[in-house]
Amino acid sequence: MRWNNETRPSEFILLGLSSRPEDQKPLFVLFLTIYLIILMGNLIIMLAIYSDVRLQTPMYFFLSILSFVDICYTTAIIPKMLINFLSETKTILYSECLTQMYFFLSFGNVDSYLLGSMAIDRYVAICNPFHYITIMSYKCCVLLLVISFFIPFLHSLLHVHLMNKLTFCASNIIHHFFCDLNPVLKLSCSSTFVKEIVIKTEGLFVVMAPFMCIIISYLRIFTTVLKIPSTVGKYKAFSTCGSHLTMVTLFYGSISYVYLQPPTSFTVKDQIATVIYTILTSMLNPFVYSLRNKDMKQGLGKLIGRIKPQ
């Protein structure tokens, strides 16, 4: 183990999902397959949206950005994980660890803010349909997009800066498959009080802001839909929100399980929950949004039709 100025190691060791040698190649094949599905699925969603004029609406605009962010989100984690599956050392440089942490936190929070923006879009579409075009204008969509990127990237910079101030003088072994906050915090032998306070205040506010937007939007949506007299009308209104609600539940359910507990209690169950919100949701997004959406199905059909003759 090499140390820089006796305050931190020059590298960390990522134990990964399993330390057994016989598990490494099967896990490599599994996550390589998942990664390729994520890349192909999200790229197809983006191409389908940008090639079909009927899908040039705010909802699909945010969906295309969400697909792009999912690719970036998983690319911050999976390639290094795949390399470590085939490597005996399983090391990551200290600087690489902080870089990975920064982009993971950034794109993870962008994902959250985009889900919030999509909830606002659904609220306006269902509760104020006659003013939808006026409210969800191009300027409004761009503003929501700027907020979705600016706040998370600034938030992540603060957390990585505070992490860099910590002292690591014991073990350099991270019991995880990437440089996440809680597993790295466990290795610090200096006081993490300031860091934990920031997580519970600024961090909680930044993460909860889009979640509260989603909760408020859907409470208003449910109130409006319940007033619709016909059953068909209620079903049609709820069906436009089904895909979004599915991904929100999966994303926030698993992320809450991991982060709403002390850093010292990070376990194997937390690793599984982390796989769900970092990798599984990104893989399922294209399927959930395309299979449950008639317009997306038609858009994909047109895209396939254009590719076949070539």
Side-chain angles (χ1 to χ4, degrees):
M1 186 193 307
R2 300 190 303 278
W3 298 83
N4 295 330
N5 301 324
E6 299 182 352
T7 60
R8 63 179 68 100
S10 60
E11 60 186 25
F12 288 110
I13 297 172
L14 293 167
L15 287 188
L17 294 171
S18 174
S19 57
R20 300 196 308 173
E22 62 269 23
D23 292 339
Q24 304 309 303
K25 287 185 179 179
L27 284 172
F28 173 83
V29 173
L30 173 63
F31 281 95
L32 177 61
T33 303
I34 290 173
Y35 186 50
L36 292 175
I37 292 172
I38 290 170
L39 292 178
M40 292 300 297
N42 285 289
L43 281 172
I44 289 170
I45 289 291
M46 291 165 64
L47 287 171
I49 290 171
Y50 287 112
S51 63
D52 193 336
V53 179
R54 292 183 311 158
L55 299 179
Q56 305 297 311
T57 63
M59 184 176 83
Y60 295 111
F61 168 73
F62 288 121
L63 179 56
S64 65
I65 302 298
L66 182 68
S67 294
F68 169 73
V69 170
D70 278 340
I71 291 173
C72 297
Y73 187 37
T74 50
T75 299
I77 301 170
I78 298 180
K80 184 62 180 178
M81 184 166 67
L82 293 174
I83 292 170
N84 284 345
F85 281 140
L86 302 180
S87 172
E88 292 184 4
T89 56
K90 304 185 186 304
T91 58
I92 183 170
L93 294 175
Y94 179 82
S95 58
E96 289 179 342
C97 184
L98 291 187
T99 302
Q100 185 185 61
M101 185 182 295
Y102 174 73
F103 284 109
F104 157 72
L105 289 173
S106 297
F107 287 117
N109 280 291
V110 171
D111 238 11
S112 179
Y113 274 73
L114 287 173
L115 289 173
S117 298
M118 292 169 77
I120 293 171
D121 173 78
R122 290 299 83 206
Y123 158 69
V124 176
I126 293 172
C127 301
N128 295 285
F130 298 111
H131 297 93
Y132 179 74
I133 296 175
T134 306
I135 297 172
M136 295 304 297
S137 62
Y138 176 77
K139 287 184 179 179
C140 179
C141 291
V142 171
L143 178 61
L144 287 172
L145 186 63
V146 169
I147 292 171
S148 296
F149 276 85
F150 180 74
I151 293 177
F153 273 75
L154 204 60
H155 158 80
S156 303
L157 189 62
L158 170 64
H159 282 268
V160 171
H161 172 71
L162 290 174
M163 187 69 74
N164 192 40
K165 295 291 183 182
L166 297 178
T167 300
F168 300 90
C169 53
S171 173
N172 70 332
I173 299 174
I174 299 175
H175 295 268
H176 207 14
F177 57 90
F178 71 99
C179 291
D180 198 1
L181 281 173
N182 288 352
V184 177
L185 272 178
K186 285 179 68 175
L187 302 182
S188 176
C189 56
S190 60
S191 174
T192 59
F193 177 75
V194 174
K195 174 67 176 170
E196 290 183 35
I197 288 296
V198 171
I199 290 174
K200 292 174 182 177
T201 53
E202 183 272 347
L204 189 62
F205 173 78
V206 169
V207 172
M208 290 303 293
F211 183 66
M212 290 308 298
C213 280
I214 294 169
I215 295 296
I216 294 170
S217 295
Y218 274 104
L219 284 175
R220 297 294 299 273
I221 288 170
F222 289 145
T223 302
T224 302
V225 171
L226 289 175
K227 293 177 181 177
I228 298 174
S230 69
T231 306
V232 176
K234 288 179 181 178
Y235 174 78
K236 187 177 180 180
F238 277 129
S239 65
T240 63
C241 305
S243 302
H244 184 249
L245 271 176
T246 302
M247 299 317 300
V248 164
T249 304
L250 191 62
F251 182 81
Y252 277 101
S254 54
I255 206 170
S256 298
Y257 180 84
V258 173
Y259 289 105
L260 294 182
Q261 57 181 314
T264 52
S265 63
F266 196 81
T267 63
V268 175
K269 289 182 180 179
D270 298 315
Q271 283 192 343
I272 296 170
T274 304
V275 169
I276 293 173
Y277 81 80
T278 56
I279 298 172
L280 191 62
T281 54
S282 297
M283 184 183 74
L284 293 178
N285 264 345
F287 298 101
V288 172
Y289 283 108
S290 60
L291 295 177
R292 295 181 61 124
N293 190 300
K294 186 186 292 184
D295 291 335
M296 275 303 305
K297 285 181 183 178
Q298 291 175 352
L300 289 170
K302 282 188 176 182
L303 180 64
I304 294 168
R306 289 177 184 177
I307 295 172
K308 275 185 178 180
Q310 299 174 6

